[in-house]
């Protein structure tokens, strides 16, 4: 199991992360002006710039620099931020933790609700309940996060002021500070991320309901609850897992808009700041974390699919 | 009348290219949501094209004498902080969103389809390499890739188009490759291979007509995502440059004054949301009448 | 309202119309159907695809397709009006009275549930069997033993995909029997299984019926199967029952021309020659009052061509799917020799997994070979892949496929399909219309799309595409297997005519022995990628055969057999791959001796054209006299 399933995928995961990093590193090389001029400003003397370049290792070729970065990265040293001069590891770590809390709430509450709604919509296909759920999902798919967030702020911070519109605590906010402020961001994310899960679950429930084995099970005269939970759900949830995995990766890597609107100190806000200040070490670490999340989520989805799907768990010996 | 004669009649009505277009069109018109979707999209295209004719004012004209006006008089929807007419800006706003989104979606779908065809045809290591590259590109969070590209190359419309192509071609490739892989083992492809046909003939004449439906749905669906992404980018300040009239930008500019001039935020929101809802409904309708499973597409 | 009547009838269907709406039009799937069946009897529903027989099976479980409805009439089972049952009543009726054995148990078993749980579900209303965990396990094993599933106790913890097709079908039957139903409905229960597996499953079903005595309804397109299994028969055509009654009576003296036509169009393993095809138009006319021309069964007997030049010679072909040889494994195809001459139809026969399609793909250059020489038209060596073959070679070798649905591009017209090879290979003086005429299709078909053709017509277009390249060799892979029997014989006649007129060599790949008998000149029998026997068609179907060929022949079920032969337990268990040494058939052979397991069998030359690969002396390979006796009596019956 371990060697057959996990190892090759782990190998590919590493290659994927590496390629993603190279892509971002390569793109950043095309920037006009480098970090040294960026830090010292336009009016710095050429000497000062040259000195800083040497200190930062910018006088080496891009390939050399990437290899150096990679060598350090493997040992856990991702360099220092060009803006703050602090190691990027802890900084990104703090942001990741904050985003994970937000994502965690969204995943636990939002996704389980979405799976249930999708199941209900699929079972009551083309009836009013389905139409209602499907319409909500369609709206969720169609409205950008910034609109959802803006409207939520309009409703719950301005019209009925019960939640704060922004997180004022800033960078070093504690959990208690973040608590009430997290409600609106989490709601925005839930609404947007659940839409695809609802639709996928609905579609795959409908698919499974039409299979011959569900037809046969129905002809056996078993109860509806047994039919749904033993025959339909285990098969229907399999394709949905991939959409769930994609959404989790998206939550960790790209809640940029929501975080920026609510000034939430997570990965998204950090991403915008470091891109604006062209802080390559931070950007690279964010890329690594983002790609890693993507890869791990897909890996977990595959693993879960294998555990849930007996065809993969017990392959036939022949052929 | 028996079942078999019905089938024959239905088959006879399905002959040729244009009749199949009208058949798809008829099945779209039969569904109310799909019709609404197409109407919304066409309406938006018309509004964007006709904006210069119907807008009451100049969308980028500042007017210090008339800032933050409430609706009324020469400003049907009021003005923003710089005294620009909100209705004019909203009407013009579709130009940027539609042009950038359609151009980039078309490019991404075209490129993705070609790459997918090559991967499916050759299989083996060619397919492996393409799949791996596609996975790596998809693994970079879309918005990060866009931000990096925009920072490096500036935020002109051509850069946004390029950035969208970079971000979405991978997804298109994945979906279209899966569709092409379904067609490849069919006997008519085997027959063509056995005749010794080349890659171009097999892809363009045998494979492509059979995945055209998937490609079309992919286009409609991606278009809605791209509009969403591009407007988010503008909202964050990385997309359309001020004073370009753009919905995402307008929301960003006027959001803090929602209590004062709510329409300055709400008007672009309504326009943007209705366009994306329209695109989504159209994609749904197209998928249904072409018999493509739209949700399976999303996995790409 | 009384819901109960006629308790002694298991099935009582009165004037039943089942319909669906196509736009504003009502389309009848079943029309005016009346059927009765007494307790304990077996009814066969026979007909071609689209005849409504499967809809009828669904009706007996009170199950219709979502768009269909009962337009008029009633269905009583055990005196209960099944379409009046709602909700809980219906569920309990299904759980206790009637059960379905579906066509494809592989798709009908829930893939995410263990076999044990699925069985228990079916008898959970039975208080004694489902009282304790031990009782449930005991009952489940008892059921699996009843259907002769090997290693029944180990099966409960397994999932459906871990069983072979035949075993899945046995599990499906066990599941249906679990609730001790009064009526068992079987929808094409053995279609898609290999012939030996089919015979073994039917044996089991027959024994179960004798032991348990429930009423059974069996849907099948195969008259032989119906003859073996059913005491009564109803013949369906376009939603109507054209003839109904006692099986022996109806199959011996059919009164409706459709039944006669169906019977006459079935090829037999015991009778050489291609049967006539069914005349649908004449039957339609008959239904509208015209008189039918007198019944006349004229078998067309094909004559093998005189000694002609070789078009394909294969020597020592070995194909291995595994790149790295596994210990204990052996190549998929080993040491395969074959000759096809101009104008000759050579049949390559074997069960699924025997490697017959692999060989066709190697000849076509679509599958790489490990070793072996292929020679075309006595002089040209065939390169391993299409890419290395000249245009002339590619033109000379053409393929026809099993599934007419996928062999034509659904988006391109018939003209496109036919003219492409014409242009590619520079065939002059042949138009698409003429190519269609050669396969008996009207020229007006050129602008049609494949979706606008029937299965038989599509297959003809596929043939036209192949022969319009003017090949010398045609690879025909199961080209009649997906067709209704009435269409089958017309395609077989076409094949015969093309072989004669165009001097084409056919490599005809099939699993259907009756079809082989009717059209082939020579036969090669393949088992797990190894030749076990080859000879002329009369030699293969003659009294001396390889034990494997004998098993295949004994497994074929035809109308008029005495149906007394049974398949010994375990004979339908095909090993996953060939053994590394010895005879491939050793594990199933009734005549096996020690040497079979260690040494490659020698070739017995029973005649100059008849070779049997076997260790057993030729005298012992003569199979029982009954087969030949049977064939003599049957021949008189049909002609």
């Amino acid at each position: 199991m371990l060697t057959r399933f996990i190892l090759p995928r782990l190998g590919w995961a590493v290659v994927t992360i590496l390629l993603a990093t190279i892509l971002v590193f390569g793109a950043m090389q095309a920037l006009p002006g480098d970090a040294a001029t960026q830090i010292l400003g336009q009016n710095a003397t050429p000497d000062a710039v040259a000195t800083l370049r040497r200190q930062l290792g910018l006088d080496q070729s891009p390939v050399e620099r990437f290899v150096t970065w990679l060598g350090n990265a493997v040992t856990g040293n991702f360099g220092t931020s060009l803006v703050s001069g602090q190691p990027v590891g802890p900084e990104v770590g703090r942001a990741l933790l904050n985003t994970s809390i937000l994502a965690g709430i969204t995943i636990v509450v939002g996704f389980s609700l979405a799976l249930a709604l999708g199941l209900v919509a699929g079972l009551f296909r083309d009836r009013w309940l389905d139409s209602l759920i499907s319409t909500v999902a369609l709206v969720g798919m169609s409205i950008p996060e910034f609109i959802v967030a803006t409207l939520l702020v309009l409703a719950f911070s301005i019209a009925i002021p019960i939640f704060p519109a922004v997180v004022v605590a800033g960078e070093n906010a504690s959990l208690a500070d973040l608590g009430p402020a997290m409600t609106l961001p989490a709601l925005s994310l839930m609404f947007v991320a659940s839409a695809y899960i609802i639709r996928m679950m609905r579609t795959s429930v409908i698919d499974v309901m039409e299979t011959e084995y569900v037809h046969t099970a129905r002809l056996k005269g078993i109860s509806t609850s047994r039919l749904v939970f033993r025959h339909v759900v285990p098969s229907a949830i399999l394709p949905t897992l991939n959409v769930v995995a994609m959404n989790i990766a998206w939550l960790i890597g790209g809640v940029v808009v929501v975080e920026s609107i609510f000034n939430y100190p997570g990965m998204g806000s950090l991403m915008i700041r470091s891109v604006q200040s062209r802080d390559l070490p931070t950007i690279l670490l964010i890329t690594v974390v983002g790609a890693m999340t993507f890869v791990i989520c897909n890996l977990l989805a595959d693993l879960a699919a294998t555990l849930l799907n007996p065809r993969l768990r017990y392959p036939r010996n022949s052929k | 009348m028996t079942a078999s004669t019905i089938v024959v009649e239905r088959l006879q009505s399905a002959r040729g290219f244009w009749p199949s277009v009208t058949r798809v069109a008829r099945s779209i018109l039969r569904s109310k949501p799909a019709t609404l979707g197409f109407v919304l999209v066409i309406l938006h295209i018309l509004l964007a094209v006709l904006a210069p004719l119907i807008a009451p004012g100049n969308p980028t004209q500042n007017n210090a004498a008339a800032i933050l006006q409430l609706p009324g008089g020469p400003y049907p929807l009021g003005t923003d902080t710089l005294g620009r007419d909100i209705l004019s800006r909203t009407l013009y706003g579709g130009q940027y969103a539609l042009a950038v989104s359609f151009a980039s979606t078309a490019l991404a779908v075209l490129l993705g389809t070609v790459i997918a065809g090559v991967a499916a045809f050759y299989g083996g290591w060619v397919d492996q390499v393409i799949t791996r590259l596609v996975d790596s590109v998809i693994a970079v969070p879309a918005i990060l890739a866009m931000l990096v590209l925009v920072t490096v190359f500036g935020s002109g419309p051509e850069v946004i188009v390029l950035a969208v192509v970079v971000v979405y071609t991978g997804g298109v490739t994945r979906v279209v490759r899966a569709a092409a892989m379904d067609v490849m083992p069919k006997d008519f492809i085997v027959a063509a291979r056995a005749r010794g046909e080349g890659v171009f003939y097999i892809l363009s004449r045998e494979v492509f007509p059979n995945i055209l439906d998937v490609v079309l749905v992919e286009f409609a669906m991606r278009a809605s995502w791209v509009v969403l992404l591009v407007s988010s980018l503008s909202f964050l300040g990385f997309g359309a440059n001020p004073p370009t009239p753009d919905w995402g930008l307008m929301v960003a500019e006027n959001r803090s004054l929602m209590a004062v001039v709510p329409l300055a935020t709400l008007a672009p929101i309504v326009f943007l949301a209705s366009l994306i809802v329209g695109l989504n409904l159209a994609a749904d309708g197209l998928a249904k009448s072409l018999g493509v499973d739209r949700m399976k597409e999303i996995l790409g | 309202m009384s819901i109960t009547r006629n308790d002694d009838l298991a099935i009582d269907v009165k004037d039943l119309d089942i319909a669906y709406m196509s736009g504003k039009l009502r389309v009848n799937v079943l029309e005016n159907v009346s059927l009765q069946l007494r307790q304990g009897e077996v009814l066969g529903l026979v007909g071609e695809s689209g005849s409504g027989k499967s809809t009828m099976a669904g009706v007996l479980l009170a199950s219709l397709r979502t768009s269909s409805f009962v337009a008029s009439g009633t269905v009583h089972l055990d005196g209960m009006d099944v379409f009046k049952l709602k909700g809980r009543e219906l569920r309990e009726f299904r759980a206790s009275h009637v059960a379905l054995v579906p066509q494809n148990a592989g798709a009908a078993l829930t893939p995410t549930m263990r076999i044990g749980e699925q069985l228990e579900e079916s008898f959970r209303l039975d208080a004694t069997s489902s009282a304790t965990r031990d009782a449930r396990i005991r009952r489940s094993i008892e059921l699996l033993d009843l259907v002769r599933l090997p290693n029944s106790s180990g099966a409960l913890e397994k999932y459906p995909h871990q069983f072979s097709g035949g075993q899945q079908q046995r599990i499906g039957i066990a599941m249906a029997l679990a609730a001790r139903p009064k009526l068992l409905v079987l929808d094409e229960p053995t279609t898609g299984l290999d012939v030996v597996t089919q015979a073994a499953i039917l044996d089991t079903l027959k024994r179960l019926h004798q032991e348990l005595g429930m009423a059974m309804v069996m849907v099948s397109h195969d008259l032989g199967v119906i003859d073996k299994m059913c005491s009564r028969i109803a013949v369906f055509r376009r939603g109507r029952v054209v003839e109904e009654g006692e099986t022996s009576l109806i199959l011996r003296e059919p009164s409706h021309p459709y039944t006669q036509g169906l019977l006459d169009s079935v090829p037999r393993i015991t009778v050489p020659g291609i049967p006539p095809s069914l005349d649908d138009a004449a039957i339609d006319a008959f239904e509208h009052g015209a008189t039918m021309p007198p019944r006349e069964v004229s078998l067309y007997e094909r004559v093998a061509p005189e000694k002609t030049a070789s078009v394909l010679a294969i020597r020592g072909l070995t194909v291995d799917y595994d790149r790295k040889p596994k210990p204990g494994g052996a190549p998929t195809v080993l040491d395969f020799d074959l000759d096809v001459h101009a104008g000759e139809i050579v049949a390559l026969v074997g069960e699924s997994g025997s490697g017959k399609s692999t060989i066709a793909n190697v000849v076509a250059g679509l599958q790489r070979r490990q070793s072996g020489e292929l020679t075309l038209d006595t002089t040209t060596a065939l390169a391993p892949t299409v890419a290395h073959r000249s245009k002339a070679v590619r033109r000379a070798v053409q393929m026809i496929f099993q599934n007419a649905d996928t062999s034509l591009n659904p988006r391109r017209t018939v003209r496109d399909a036919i003219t492409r090879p014409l242009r590619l290979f520079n065939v002059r003086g042949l138009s698409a219309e003429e190519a269609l005429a050669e396969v008996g299709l009207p020229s007006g078909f050129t602008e049609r799309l494949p979706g606008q053709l029937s299965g038989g017509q599509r297959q003809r277009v596929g043939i036209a595409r192949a022969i319009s390249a003017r090949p010398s060799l045609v690879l025909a892979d199961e080209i009649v297997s997906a067709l209704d029997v009435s269409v089958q014989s017309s395609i077989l006649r076409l094949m015969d005519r093309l072989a004669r007129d165009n001097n084409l060599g056919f490599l005809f790949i099939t699993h259907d022995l009756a079809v082989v008998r009717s059209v082939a000149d020579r036969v090669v029998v393949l088992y797990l990628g190894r030749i076990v026997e080859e000879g002329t068609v009369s030699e293969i179907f003659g009294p001396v055969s390889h034990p494997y060929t004998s098993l295949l022949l004994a497994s074929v079920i035809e109308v008029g057999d005495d149906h007394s032969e049974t398949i010994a337990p375990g004979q339908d268990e095909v090993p996953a791959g060939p053994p590394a040494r010895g005879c491939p058939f050793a594990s199933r052979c009734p005549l096996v001796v020690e040497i079979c397991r260690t040494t490659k069998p020698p070739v017995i030359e029973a005649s100059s054209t008849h070779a049997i690969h076997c260790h057993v002396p030729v005298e012992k390979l003569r199979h029982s006299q009954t087969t030949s006796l049977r064939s003599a009596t049957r021949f008189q019956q049909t002609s």
Side-chain angles (χ1 to χ4, degrees), chain A residues 220-221 226 230-231 314 316, chain C residues 110 117 121-122 124 161:
Chain A
K220 276 156 85 174
R226 199 175 165 82
R230 291 300 295 138
H231 292 265
Y314 306 100
R316 272 193 80 180
Chain C
T110 302
E117 189 182 351
E121 248 178 20
S122 304
R124 78 200 178 287
H161 72 277

Side-chain angles (χ1 to χ4, degrees), chain A residues 212-213 215-224 226 230-231 234-235 238 308 310-316 318, chain C residues 63 91 94-95 100 102 104 107-113 117-118 121-122 124 159 161-164 175 576:
Chain A
E212 212 175 306
Y213 58 83
H215 183 66
T216 309
R218 197 178 278 151
L219 292 184
K220 276 156 85 174
I222 59 173
S223 67
T224 310
R226 199 175 165 82
R230 291 300 295 138
H231 292 265
S235 299
L238 284 173
L308 285 174
R311 275 171 213 273
L312 298 174
R313 204 168 3 140
Y314 306 100
R316 272 193 80 180
S318 61
Chain C
S63 156
R91 277 213 306 276
R94 282 174 176 166
L100 172 77
N104 180 358
L109 294 167
T110 302
T112 52
M113 277 169 80
E117 189 182 351
Q118 302 201 43
E121 248 178 20
S122 304
R124 78 200 178 287
Y159 288 92
H161 72 277
Q162 292 171 289
F163 297 90
S164 70
M175 211 164 82

Side-chain angles (χ1 to χ4, degrees), chain A residues 14-92:
Chain A
V14 172
V15 173
T16 305
I17 295 170
L18 198 63
L19 278 174
T21 330
I22 293 174
L23 288 175
V24 171
F25 187 90
M28 291 300 282
Q29 295 313 309
L31 266 178
D34 57 27
T37 36
Q38 194 76 27
I39 293 168
L40 296 173
Q42 293 296 325
N43 304 324
T45 60
D47 270 358
V49 173
T51 316
L52 189 59
R53 280 177 64 99
R54 216 167 313 117
Q55 279 171 8
L56 293 172
L58 294 179
D59 51 346
Q60 294 170 310
S61 77
V63 178
E64 278 174 310
R65 270 183 290 140
F66 185 74
V67 171
T68 314
W69 175 84
L70 196 63
N72 290 332
V74 171
T75 61
N77 173 12
F78 291 93
T80 50
S81 163
L82 300 182
V83 178
S84 63
Q86 302 291 315
V88 291
E91 199 180 352
V92 173

Side-chain angles (χ1 to χ4, degrees), chain C residues 331-540:
Chain C
T332 319
V333 175
L334 184 66
D335 259 341
F336 179 83
D337 295 350
L338 178 88
D339 287 281
V340 180
H341 297 97
E344 190 183 34
I345 299 178
V346 178
L348 188 53
V349 179
E351 290 172 291
S352 52
S354 62
K356 48 193 197 304
S357 293
T358 304
I359 292 170
N361 285 336
V362 167
V363 177
L366 299 168
Q367 160 80 45
R368 285 184 173 276
R369 57 193 190 234
Q370 266 55 47
S371 61
E373 297 299 316
L374 273 65
T375 314
L376 185 73
D377 296 332
T378 66
T379 50
T380 320
L382 280 176
T385 60
V386 163
H388 297 98
R389 293 183 181 179
S390 70
K391 207 173 246 191
V393 169
R394 297 195 312 253
R395 170 184 171 170
V397 182
Q398 291 291 320
M399 300 179 89
I400 311 173
F401 300 89
Q402 166 174 12
N403 198 336
D405 293 348
T406 70
S407 71
L408 298 175
N409 189 335
R411 311 273 172 188
R412 309 192 64 199
T413 61
V414 169
R415 179 188 297 283
D416 286 342
I418 295 175
T419 49
R420 180 63 196 174
L422 290 183
R423 266 195 227 127
L424 186 70
F425 300 126
N426 285 320
V427 180
R428 293 182 200 287
L430 183 68
S431 67
E433 283 79 5
E434 286 161 343
L436 283 182
E438 282 187 18
V439 296
L441 288 177
S443 56
F445 275 35
T446 47
E447 303 313 317
R448 292 204 182 184
L449 290 171
Q452 296 162 285
L453 304 175
S454 71
Q457 289 166 343
R458 255 176 276 173
Q459 198 54 286
R460 281 170 191 267
V461 174
I463 296 172
R465 177 178 60 188
I467 60 154
S468 64
R470 296 291 176 245
S472 49
L473 173 71
V474 173
L475 308 167
D477 193 349
E478 299 275 13
I479 61 170
V480 294
S481 310
L483 301 174
D484 274 327
V485 65
S486 59
V487 187
Q488 216 176 54
S489 40
S490 68
I491 298 285
L492 293 177
R493 284 187 189 224
L494 175 63
M495 202 160 113
D496 157 69
R497 185 166 60 73
L498 292 170
R500 274 185 291 120
D501 293 358
N502 301 13
N503 221 18
L504 277 177
F506 273 92
L507 180 55
F508 180 40
I509 289 157
T510 183
H511 70 280
D512 188 331
L513 291 162
V515 166
V516 168
R517 172 107 235 216
S518 68
V519 77
D521 302 320
R522 279 193 307 118
V523 184
V524 175
V525 183
L526 202 63
Y527 182 73
L528 296 178
R530 281 97 179 118
I531 294 178
V532 294
E533 182 174 4
E534 60 185 308
T536 64
V537 69
S538 52
E539 286 165 342
I540 294 291

Side-chain angles (χ1 to χ4, degrees), chain A residues 271-286:
Chain A
M271 190 193 293
I272 292 198
R273 250 185 302 121
S274 38
V275 171
Q276 272 165 344
S277 58
R278 306 184 177 188
D279 187 354
L280 184 59
T282 312
I283 294 177
L284 282 178
L285 184 53
I286 291 176

